[in-house]
Amino acid sequence: MATFCVIGAGVIGLSSALNIAKQCRGCKMTIISAHSSPDTHSNHGFGICGALHMDKYDSPKYVKWAKLTTQYLRRVMEANSSESAENGVREVSMYVVRDKDGQNEYAETHLFEISRFSRPATQTERQSIGLDAKELEYVLERKDCCEDDVSVLKLGNWVIDPDYYLTRLLKELKAMEARNDIAQLRLINKEISDFSDVMGDAVMYDCIINCSGLASRYLVPDDKVVPIRGQYLIMDASDVTDLIRSDCDRATFICPMLDKVKVGPTHQVGRSDTAVDPNDTRELLRRCESLCPKLRNRRIIKEAVGIRPGRIGGPRLEVEFRKFPSSDRPVPIIHNYGHASKGFVQHWGCAMETAELVMKYAISNAKL
Ligand SMILES: Cc1cc2nc3c(=O)[nH]c(=O)nc-3n(C[C@H](O)[C@H](O)[C@H](O)COP(=O)(O)OP(=O)(O)OC[C@H]3O[C@@H](n4cnc5c(N)ncnc54)[C@H](O)[C@@H]3O)c2cc1C
């Protein structure tokens, strides 16, 4: 019987565990995590999936993983549309407000392939966002612009509410154990300081799956892993129902969730401090109210900070073999970490590939 140990219970760890369990029926699965939902960094995510922006680390693999994720989200919606709250997945329209000059660059990417649809917003739709001509300079970060300099795209995207979604992934794993699809599911709340902490004499795994996000910086160790601080606000604005994004360096999102509106966040590379910074709050309010004037004078329900697991060069998804004192042969470690600002949009595709790597490299090790 194959025995697996997933380190991490964020969106990457839980989706990897679920895909492995589906591929390897009858296995024993242990998930070790220092924190679990609602206390992971994933719980801070806005969960926007579909066409986001491309950055320098986005490779064809990114497009592949994002496509597989959005195909999966389509299936979730088709199967369970009446229970979308419980699933934590919703179809939403996203307005992208951007400088007209950058339009071709955006269209050149493959990203439209991973949206449900994409088209220019109509005049009525533009008006419904309430874009304030005076504020456009601030939104677009350039001087002397007027409303005509702005193009607004409408994209069909999805939003995952992390609190609901992580609960659902775990529920699915527990249901697999209850149906005997997997032999055992163990959830262990523990912070490890080295992979050998999980490979003691008494516990031997055929494969370790490393989904520890930021902690991979010292666990692997991988000095390409960098924290990216994201402070954001939760606002009392249930009438704001459109997802809006400004497409510039200081990208700003107005993201209606199932029961709240998240706005922001900051993108502070190299910072991992989690205390709320009042200066960031002021700046976020200014940015968000400029992009969505409806937010003016609304109550801030909460200010919060999440840290994205950035990685120079993009996510690491590959196998490494390590020898441990307690094992007579090298053990495969499948690394799946470093998804930065795009963990949700890539998670399912990465989890599928993780399960494939487990089947390829670990099953021959396992006592099936
Ligand atoms: C404000 C904000 C907004 C975002 N918006 C979006 C968005 O709209 N779309 C999108 O695609 N992405 C978004 N992201 C990014 C996304 O949230 C992350 O890429 C994703 O959550 C990373 O998931 P993860 O499971 O790798 O990391 P984490 O959620 O950090 O999970 C890591 C897990 O490993 C465990 N762990 C860590 N160290 C140890 C240890 N030593 N021992 C044992 N366990 C350990 C942790 O306890 C946790 O369970 C956003 C992020 C932030 C902060």
Side-chain angles (χ1 to χ4, degrees), residues 10-66:
V11 68
I12 300 297
L14 292 184
S15 56
S16 296
L18 189 54
N19 272 274
I20 295 164
K22 286 180 180 189
Q23 288 279 327
C24 192
R25 302 275 163 151
C27 69
K28 285 186 173 182
M29 175 76 68
T30 299
I31 302 176
I32 296 182
S33 64
H35 299 283
S36 44
S37 181
D39 299 319
T40 70
H41 288 297
S42 292
N43 290 84
H44 291 286
F46 286 21
I48 302 165
C49 297
L52 291 174
H53 55 297
M54 285 283 252
D55 63 38
K56 59 184 173 187
Y57 299 133
D58 290 333
S59 62
K61 280 201 158 182
Y62 162 67
V63 177
K64 177 185 142 196
W65 291 327

Side-chain angles (χ1 to χ4, degrees), residues 157-175:
N157 278 5
W158 295 261
V159 171
I160 290 178
D161 189 315
D163 295 349
Y164 290 89
Y165 189 71
L166 295 184
T167 303
R168 184 177 74 83
L169 294 180
L170 195 54
K171 220 163 115 185
E172 256 195 73
L173 276 162
K174 288 180 178 168

Side-chain angles (χ1 to χ4, degrees), residues 34-275:
H35 299 283
S36 44
S37 181
D39 299 319
T40 70
H41 288 297
S42 292
N43 290 84
H44 291 286
F46 286 21
I48 302 165
C49 297
L52 291 174
H53 55 297
M54 285 283 252
D55 63 38
K56 59 184 173 187
Y57 299 133
D58 290 333
S59 62
K61 280 201 158 182
Y62 162 67
V63 177
K64 177 185 142 196
W65 291 327
K67 266 191 199 168
L68 288 168
T69 302
T70 54
Q71 282 164 10
Y72 166 70
L73 296 179
R74 273 177 216 268
R75 292 198 297 277
V76 170
M77 291 303 297
E78 279 162 17
N80 302 293
S81 54
S82 60
E83 300 167 35
S84 62
E86 204 179 302
N87 286 319
V89 182
R90 278 174 317 133
E91 288 177 351
V92 285
S93 296
M94 177 164 91
Y95 291 103
V96 184
V97 177
R98 55 200 306 270
D99 208 315
K100 260 188 180 154
D101 296 343
Q103 201 163 346
N104 290 338
E105 185 198 326
Y106 200 90
E108 271 162 22
T109 71
H110 300 283
L111 294 184
F112 294 129
E113 297 171 40
I114 51 179
S115 288
R116 286 178 293 117
F117 62 83
S118 67
R119 62 166 172 78
T122 63
Q123 198 51 35
T124 316
E125 287 167 341
R126 281 175 75 123
Q127 279 162 1
S128 74
I129 308 174
L131 272 182
D132 187 331
K134 282 201 311 270
E135 297 284 6
L136 284 173
E137 286 187 4
Y138 194 77
V139 172
L140 296 179
E141 299 167 41
R142 76 172 171 91
K143 294 262 174 241
D144 306 322
C145 58
C146 63
E147 222 200 314
D148 284 348
D149 295 336
V150 174
S151 78
V152 181
L153 296 170
K154 186 171 184 176
L155 304 175
N157 278 5
W158 295 261
V159 171
I160 290 178
D161 189 315
D163 295 349
Y164 290 89
Y165 189 71
L166 295 184
T167 303
R168 184 177 74 83
L169 294 180
L170 195 54
K171 220 163 115 185
E172 256 195 73
L173 276 162
K174 288 180 178 168
M176 288 188 79
E177 186 194 29
R179 288 194 306 266
N180 290 325
D181 289 343
I182 55 175
Q184 187 186 56
L185 174 68
R186 291 194 311 154
L187 305 171
I188 298 178
N189 177 221
K190 176 180 169 187
E191 182 164 355
I192 60 162
S193 54
D194 193 281
F195 290 128
S196 59
D197 292 354
V198 302
M199 287 299 280
D201 287 339
V203 211
M204 284 281 295
Y205 297 105
D206 296 301
C207 182
I208 296 172
I209 298 95
N210 172 30
C211 306
S212 63
L214 265 182
S216 293
R217 188 173 168 87
Y218 62 87
L219 283 179
V220 174
D222 181 348
D223 61 9
K224 290 186 182 149
V225 174
V226 281
I228 307 175
R229 183 176 180 278
Q231 181 169 325
Y232 65 97
L233 312 175
I234 296 179
M235 298 196 69
D236 187 4
S238 55
D239 54 323
V240 173
T241 50
D242 292 320
L243 173 55
I244 312 172
R245 145 161 228 246
S246 67
D247 196 33
C248 48
D249 285 351
R250 240 175 2 179
T252 304
F253 292 87
I254 312 297
C255 183
M257 314 292 286
L258 283 165
D259 49 12
K260 52 189 166 284
V261 179
K262 286 185 176 176
V263 306
T266 61
H267 192 271
Q268 293 151 323
V269 179
R271 272 181 67 178
S272 56
D273 48 304
T274 52

